[in-house]
Amino acid sequence: MNSEELRNRAHDVLQRNDRGEFSTPSPHQYPHQWNWDAALIALGWSHFDVSRARTEIRSLLRAQWRDGMLPHIIYHHGASDYFPPPDFWQTHGLPHVGAIESSALTQPPLVATVVRALHERSHADSESLAFVREVFPKILAWHRWLHHTRAVDDSGLPCLIHPWESGTDNSPRWAAALDRITPHDLPPFRRRDTQHVAPDERPLAQDYERFVYLIDRGRRIGWDSARLLAESPFLVQDVMFCSILHRADEDLRALGKIVNEDTREIEKWLGQTRQVFDARFWNETRGLYLDYDVRASEPILVNTFATFMPLLAGVPSSEQVARLMQHWSDLHEYAPSDDSRFRLPTTSKNEPRYAPRRYWCGPIWIIINWLSYIGLRRYELREPAAALRADTLALLQTHGCREYFDPRDGAPLGATDFAWSAALALEFLSERDE
Ligand code: DGY
């Protein structure tokens, strides 16, 4: 496929996932609306139809809970053959939930960053200004919920209570925290995710049991936020989630200034995060950013793609960037070598749990390449950025918009017609190497 063909294919994939008011991440595997997928899908639509892009964000925000939480799955059309179905979350009648059936978890907050990009692409016209005015308070309420309701102290760093909130469900970074959990009294359930995708490309049964167990724990306490922080057996601070939030706070502050809103609260979050970020996540001995297990009070010593995510938030110093780039260039970690031709494996190749075909255990994800690309560009690391763009486009042009890819030979994996791969193909196509 040449660039023009990829652009047409990407448009076609966005259209195939379009359900009018919202989009599915992929028609069969994920037949509802997902939070961070929706943000990226809006970015994709902005290349053709900015009004459709705004519709995607609006339909996502309509599902916001009364307490500010923005859920990770929204069941606009009720149940399907997807597991878990809406009633599995048992949120009906709870005082803090929203008006549309949804999951009771959240997902990485990309919305502010996307809304800022949409605004810039609309040349700040009056319709766009009205849109920013409309969505700003809702995004602000979500960020406030993350910095306060989900924080265990006054650092403002949010905690995640379920691996699904990280968007990287079975990443090896969560393995030790999940291993500590022994599921008991599990509700009966049947996985549906291996109907459309081969089981060896999906999470293991033991992961799924823990995913379901954590949902059951949440619903038993009515998804009460304070009790979740106090009692959830899984409680982590995710370096990627916090990097995305920090970047989103910067973008939200910019949006607030555009529409003359008070941005002092956002300023405070930005300052707080900068102050605590390194102490919480930076490991000077290894030269890596590492996630933190709040329940076990210890850093998670697993080397994954997450280490590069602070770049997109402009957090690392030049010394830290130099350390990170040593890992980027190491043949045993992230650099192409005889046993892997493409970047970026989502787990370092020398980690014992690296598995190049299994979901978040190693495969290349277009979103991670894109987030890394933004980070590299922010630091003017032009050569690695250009090489990453070239690898990403090679994968998409060879195999189309698949969900993820095997770093060894680029083999396509997971769901087909994957909407954010299409959206980000359009982003990469519209970039120019410097
Ligand atoms: C899934 O169903 O695999 C999703 O990642 C959950 O959000």
Side-chain angles (χ1 to χ4, degrees), residues 30 34 72-73 82-83 107 164 167 169 193 202 208 359:
Y30 308 106
W34 263 258
H72 103 291
I73 307 175
Y82 177 78
F83 174 83
Q107 236 176 5
W164 285 355
D169 312 358
D193 60 304
R202 291 290 304 174
Y208 246 82
Y359 210 39

Side-chain angles (χ1 to χ4, degrees), residues 84-128:
D87 59 5
F88 196 79
W89 299 94
Q90 297 183 1
T91 56
H92 191 71
L94 296 177
H96 54 305
V97 303
I100 303 178
E101 286 184 309
S102 75
S103 73
L105 306 171
T106 194
Q107 236 176 5
L110 282 172
V111 176
T113 301
V114 167
V115 170
R116 185 177 182 190
L118 298 187
H119 185 64
E120 283 164 6
R121 285 173 195 187
S122 319
H123 309 294
D125 64 18
S126 58
E127 238 178 285
S128 180

Side-chain angles (χ1 to χ4, degrees), residues 188-248:
F189 74 98
R190 197 166 115 228
R191 277 178 78 166
R192 303 295 186 106
D193 60 304
T194 46
Q195 281 185 141
H196 306 290
V197 172
D200 72 335
E201 297 170 23
R202 291 290 304 174
L204 297 164
Q206 70 223 42
D207 295 324
Y208 246 82
E209 282 174 8
R210 284 160 179 78
F211 297 159
V212 169
Y213 177 69
L214 290 169
I215 295 176
D216 188 47
R217 291 288 298 242
R219 63 191 197 173
R220 279 169 194 254
I221 56 172
W223 299 104
D224 178 285
S225 293
R227 288 191 66 186
L228 284 167
L229 287 185
E231 298 171 31
S232 173
F234 180 90
L235 199 71
V236 299
Q237 284 163 336
D238 169 355
V239 71
M240 173 170 78
F241 196 110
C242 292
S243 302
I244 289 177
L245 178 58
H246 192 60
R247 172 61 189 257

